[in-house]
Amino acid sequence: MHFGRWVFGILAAVLLTGCITPPTPPRIKRNNPGAKPDTGPFWWGISSSAFQTEDRGEKPGSPNYFKTDWDLFAEAGRVPPKGDDATFSWSQFDKDLEALKKIGVNHYRFGVEWARIEPHPGQYNEAALRRYVDFARKLKAAGIEPVVTLWHFTFPDWMVVKGKPGRSRWLSPYYRERWPLFVDKVTRAMSPYVRTYVPQNEPNGDLALGYISSVWPPGMFLDFNMHARALTQSTWGFREAAKIIKQNRKDALVMAVVALPYWIRTFWDPTSAYYNFMQRINFAHLDRTYDVCDLIGFNYYYTEYADFTALLALKARRGRNYSLLGWVIQPHSLYKQINIVAKRYGKPIVITENGIATSRDIKRVRYLFNHMLEVKEAMADGADVRGYFVWTLVDNYEWHHGYKAPFGLSRMDPVTKRRLLRPSALFYKGLISTSEESSMLDEISSQPELPQGFIER
């Protein structure tokens, strides 16, 4: 989900190379406005992922028992274990649906777990696939449009060769064989209920954290060669998925979802090499896949300073302008990033994740309001923004942070498993419900006056 500040060793790369050039924007043919997809009313949504929320739902020894590369990474002690229960979104999806209906969103982005559907190469769990289809059917019946993510950071464990990262995950010999078959199977089954698909969630972040900073699987440190190979495989997989999605539903929408923190140049990066490198991390994957996308979705959480001092200061950051993880809160950077993406690709935009890890919900309300205000300003200035999704519905497993980063609009009751809505969820509900009678732009502008200092620009 989130990346950037743990790319340890970039300073060393800067010192060795002296200068890294920024990524050259692709040459694009500006779309005829009439050719842009009709996406209906503004998308008010919430995003989630399968691995972070689902209980396993299978007992060891079952033919459908599965593990992912993240399970293996946790078993090796590299990240906190998720456990088999998470927030029970597999066995008790109706609890999620109940909360979504209370909040009033019109879109919900959820993921399917490849390993669950294909626990062994070529062996499919048909019941699991039918259950995912049922999730989409129930959402549609509730008036909530499902947006399905086909890959959200995790690979089946059979795509990992212990001790051989060059033959694992993106680089597994199974990848080109099994990925198109998986995409075809899922999108055929989902086609009656799902129009919008995300082939991959934040592939740029996964590649950076997995092959450069060693924080994520496969845990490689400054392996730029392997990073480049994995990038090639990932972009191939994205483009292949986009083709299959369109074959299986003619009116389908393909949406990119990449991580785009906003980077600021600093005195400590005199050649801009660090800054340029992080811009390459931001845009290299999207530059290779934007042309097969109907919508450009991106996740924005924070702004960061492009120099090594930010890495040193991260854990010490506290206060109003930082999240619980030390991420810099600077809402106006979202406005800037929207305009950068609009100019670079010329396609409709969706903010597919925006949220904050905090134990103080008033801080979450402030964060969401200020960022929505920047979306409103970007739209008023001409940006074609079609939707906004909050991350996330319920506090869950946050990758290498484990369960220490509460992002949810709700928390789970440990006994009943119900989602207990926070005031931030009610704030979001109020904004959505009143916006049905006015435009998104008008609604945010007409919100009641907030306490002094609430809007931080």
Side-chain angles (χ1 to χ4, degrees), residues 186-338:
V186 172
T187 55
R188 280 182 185 274
M190 291 278 193
S191 62
Y193 306 107
V194 179
R195 183 189 180 200
T196 306
Y197 293 93
V198 176
Q200 300 166 357
N201 178 80
E202 290 190 5
N204 60 332
D206 174 86
L207 294 167
L209 290 171
Y211 297 93
I212 297 175
S213 74
S214 79
V215 179
W216 284 16
M220 304 306 294
F221 183 64
L222 295 181
D223 197 323
F224 296 103
N225 177 265
M226 198 174 292
H227 177 275
R229 290 170 54 208
L231 174 61
T232 297
Q233 287 287 85
S234 176
T235 54
W236 170 84
F238 188 103
R239 299 182 70 86
E240 189 71 11
K243 180 178 67 178
I244 295 167
I245 289 165
K246 294 288 189 177
Q247 289 172 349
N248 288 341
R249 179 161 171 165
K250 300 304 180 184
D251 69 338
L253 298 175
V254 174
M255 182 164 68
V257 172
V258 293
L260 293 184
Y262 187 82
W263 292 91
I264 298 177
R265 292 182 177 89
T266 75
F267 170 82
W268 299 105
D269 182 29
T271 65
S272 291
Y274 194 124
Y275 173 83
N276 290 340
F277 183 86
M278 298 317 299
Q279 292 298 91
R280 285 175 175 269
I281 294 295
N282 269 10
F283 295 111
H285 193 283
L286 194 51
D287 284 350
R288 300 184 186 195
T289 55
Y290 78 94
D291 59 307
V292 297
C293 296
D294 299 291
L295 300 161
I296 304 299
F298 73 87
N299 301 340
Y300 173 83
Y301 290 90
Y302 61 85
T303 292
E304 192 52 275
Y305 302 97
D307 66 64
F308 71 96
T309 63
L311 300 175
L312 300 175
L314 184 64
K315 290 186 177 181
R317 291 171 174 167
R318 297 290 185 273
R320 183 184 185 89
N321 295 319
Y322 304 105
S323 77
L324 190 65
L325 301 176
W327 297 357
V328 178
I329 301 171
Q330 196 170 103
H332 190 52
S333 294
L334 176 56
Y335 171 93
K336 296 176 185 176
Q337 200 70 293
I338 289 170

Side-chain angles (χ1 to χ4, degrees), residues 82-256:
K82 185 191 84 167
D84 280 345
D85 295 333
T87 61
F88 294 89
S89 289
W90 175 252
S91 63
Q92 301 196 37
F93 174 77
D94 287 347
K95 298 290 195 304
D96 286 339
L97 182 58
E98 178 187 17
L100 292 167
K101 290 162 67 174
K102 286 181 178 178
I103 296 171
V105 296
N106 57 28
H107 282 66
Y108 181 56
R109 181 165 77 95
F110 70 97
V112 296
E113 184 64 76
W114 184 358
R116 184 187 294 280
I117 293 173
E118 191 174 5
H120 307 285
Q123 175 188 319
Y124 294 107
N125 183 341
E126 299 290 349
L129 179 56
R130 287 195 298 271
R131 187 166 178 80
Y132 278 127
V133 173
D134 200 44
F135 291 174
R137 181 189 63 79
K138 288 181 175 181
L139 286 163
K140 288 282 286 187
I144 302 170
E145 191 70 20
V147 177
V148 171
T149 305
L150 298 173
W151 175 87
H152 199 127
F153 295 149
T154 56
F155 289 92
D157 64 346
W158 45 264
M159 290 181 64
V160 176
V161 180
K162 187 175 181 179
K164 294 185 178 180
R167 294 181 61 80
S168 299
R169 305 182 81 246
W170 302 108
L171 304 176
S172 167
Y174 281 120
Y175 182 61
R176 291 208 174 212
E177 173 191 344
R178 303 308 313 174
W179 170 251
L181 299 174
F182 166 74
V183 172
D184 181 62
K185 189 172 187 68
V186 172
T187 55
R188 280 182 185 274
M190 291 278 193
S191 62
Y193 306 107
V194 179
R195 183 189 180 200
T196 306
Y197 293 93
V198 176
Q200 300 166 357
N201 178 80
E202 290 190 5
N204 60 332
D206 174 86
L207 294 167
L209 290 171
Y211 297 93
I212 297 175
S213 74
S214 79
V215 179
W216 284 16
M220 304 306 294
F221 183 64
L222 295 181
D223 197 323
F224 296 103
N225 177 265
M226 198 174 292
H227 177 275
R229 290 170 54 208
L231 174 61
T232 297
Q233 287 287 85
S234 176
T235 54
W236 170 84
F238 188 103
R239 299 182 70 86
E240 189 71 11
K243 180 178 67 178
I244 295 167
I245 289 165
K246 294 288 189 177
Q247 289 172 349
N248 288 341
R249 179 161 171 165
K250 300 304 180 184
D251 69 338
L253 298 175
V254 174
M255 182 164 68

Side-chain angles (χ1 to χ4, degrees), residues 413-438:
D413 184 307
V415 177
T416 67
K417 310 301 184 290
R418 290 185 62 191
R419 285 49 174 129
L420 304 178
L421 300 186
R422 292 185 168 120
S424 54
L426 303 180
F427 161 75
Y428 196 35
K429 173 184 174 66
L431 183 61
I432 295 168
S433 61
T434 51
S435 71
E436 293 175 355
E437 301 175 2
S438 59

